[in-house]
Amino acid sequence: DHKRQSKQSLQQRNDIMDNDRFRQHSGYERALKIQKIILSSDITIVTTTMPYANSISFLYGTKWQTNSPALPSIAPRKCQLKCTKLDDVCTTFSACLKGDEVDTAQLIEACKAHLVFMKNGGNSLRLVAKDLESNLQKAEKPFQKSPKQGKTLSSLLEREREAGIHNGSKLKEQSAAMGLLWIRRSLAFQLELYASLIDQDGPHPRDAAYEAYTKHLSPFHGWTLRKLFPASLSQIPDRQALIAQFGEVTLDELNEEYDSEVVTKLRSLVIALGPLLSTWERDFVRLDLEDIRRV
């Protein structure tokens, strides 16, 4: 009898412990759910004005606190997304503008990072990447010959102009000016494509790419390129697939948090490219180097 009572007592204690575990687990799951809502929302004032555990209790209310076990303290989950290629592009382009001048060495470094990033965009952007690579070689070779004299974009362009290698606004094919002109046009095209991905309800990336191509590249392309480029752009996948590619994750791994992080990075890239491209174009217009011939 004594053994039977001890066994029953042990079983009751285990039942109580199991019930406690269940309640704690339930509370923990609810905490994680609230945490996910906080991290995915724009309302960050709750998590910045009070400790995280208190903010969860605040969201649940007093009634819940009295009827449920105390929540464990949960630190905000750090996203494990490692989109290093996109990070490199954002960092390098953000450092190109020095006041109202463009740093040439930094610009070339940023374009190289962007080339690596574009190659990560799949077959649909392969032709654009190939074009960028060719023009990057044109821009880098003259700069490397005398980097001090071409420290800024404007000084590099002025040096070529004063050397008389161009025929007015008709640029020499193998020149830094020609390479940089086409890189700028390509980046203007890319900027609009990236901007279209920021809004989840925006146009299909393929449609955004067609519109951007028509605006920034098509006016300067001959018949052949005006057939090749749209054919290449027709392979652009939907928004989710592009976000996954740029975030260096699979479609199965893509979630709301990863999507939000990639969008934040793309937004910072768009913000950096806007004034950079404006200054870039200003230097070309000022020096009468806007070659509008078709190729």
Side-chain angles (χ1 to χ4, degrees):
D1 291 341
H2 177 71
K3 288 184 179 179
R4 187 164 52 252
Q5 289 176 359
S6 297
K7 187 175 181 180
Q8 290 175 348
S9 177
L10 179 62
Q11 182 62 45
Q12 289 174 352
R13 185 165 64 252
N14 287 340
D15 290 341
I16 293 172
M17 290 176 66
D18 287 341
N19 187 48
D20 284 343
R21 289 193 192 102
F22 171 77
R23 289 192 298 140
Q24 289 171 5
H25 175 73
S26 177
Y28 186 78
E29 289 298 320
R30 281 180 285 183
L32 288 179
K33 185 176 181 181
I34 288 294
Q35 180 190 32
K36 185 175 181 181
I37 294 172
I38 293 172
L39 293 177
S40 63
S41 71
D42 292 327
I43 308 173
T44 56
I45 187 170
V46 173
T47 58
T48 56
T49 56
M50 58 179 71
Y52 192 74
N54 289 342
S55 68
I56 296 176
S57 300
F58 169 75
L59 287 172
Y60 272 111
T62 306
K63 183 177 180 180
W64 182 87
Q65 293 178 52
T66 56
N67 295 332
S68 302
L71 283 171
S73 179
I74 306 171
R77 182 168 75 85
K78 293 183 178 179
C79 185
Q80 298 300 313
L81 188 63
K82 296 181 179 179
C83 41
T84 54
K85 296 180 180 66
L86 179 53
D87 286 335
D88 288 344
V89 173
C90 293
T91 301
T92 51
F93 272 121
S94 296
C96 286
L97 268 182
K98 310 292 186 183
D100 61 347
E101 293 285 353
V102 179
D103 185 304
T104 309
Q106 184 64 38
L107 179 61
I108 290 175
E109 181 183 350
C111 291
K112 288 180 178 179
H114 191 245
L115 177 61
V116 174
F117 176 62
M118 286 181 62
K119 288 181 177 180
N120 199 54
N123 293 334
S124 59
L125 297 177
R126 183 172 296 173
L127 186 58
V128 182
K130 184 178 180 181
D131 187 59
L132 172 61
E133 188 170 21
S134 173
N135 287 307
L136 184 55
Q137 292 171 355
K138 293 178 185 178
E140 187 175 19
K141 190 174 180 179
F143 170 71
Q144 288 180 335
K145 288 182 178 180
S146 53
K148 290 185 178 180
Q149 295 180 0
K151 186 176 181 180
T152 65
L153 175 63
S154 60
S155 63
L156 177 62
L157 297 176
E158 286 170 353
R159 189 184 71 193
E160 283 193 341
R161 185 170 178 267
E162 291 170 0
I165 67 172
H166 307 306
N167 180 16
S169 62
K170 296 180 181 179
L171 306 182
K172 181 182 177 180
E173 180 61 31
Q174 297 300 320
S175 66
M178 181 63 86
L180 290 165
L181 174 66
W182 280 103
I183 291 174
R184 192 196 79 212
R185 290 169 176 169
S186 178
L187 286 176
F189 158 80
Q190 291 289 328
L191 183 151
E192 294 207 12
L193 174 59
Y194 298 150
S196 73
L197 300 175
I198 293 175
D199 185 359
Q200 290 188 355
D201 298 322
H204 191 289
R206 181 174 55 247
D207 297 332
Y210 282 149
E211 185 176 348
Y213 172 76
T214 301
K215 185 187 301 184
H216 298 290
L217 294 172
S218 180
F220 313 106
H221 280 175
W223 185 88
T224 302
L225 287 178
R226 279 188 279 126
K227 296 295 182 181
L228 287 176
F229 264 78
S232 176
L233 299 179
S234 67
Q235 302 177 57
I236 291 180
D238 62 22
R239 179 187 178 278
Q240 280 191 314
L242 270 185
I243 291 291
Q245 288 175 355
F246 291 160
E248 300 175 43
V249 296
T250 65
L251 266 175
D252 290 338
E253 293 171 327
L254 185 65
N255 56 35
E256 290 184 10
E257 186 178 356
Y258 285 174
D259 186 296
S260 177
E261 186 169 350
V262 173
V263 165
T264 297
K265 295 176 188 296
L266 288 175
R267 184 181 289 112
S268 70
L269 177 57
V270 168
I271 292 172
L273 283 176
L276 172 62
L277 292 175
S278 295
T279 304
W280 197 332
E281 184 176 11
R282 179 205 66 190
D283 288 341
F284 268 81
V285 171
R286 178 175 61 83
L287 296 170
D288 192 26
L289 297 176
E290 280 289 303
D291 193 333
I292 60 174
R293 292 176 296 167
R294 291 181 180 270
V295 296

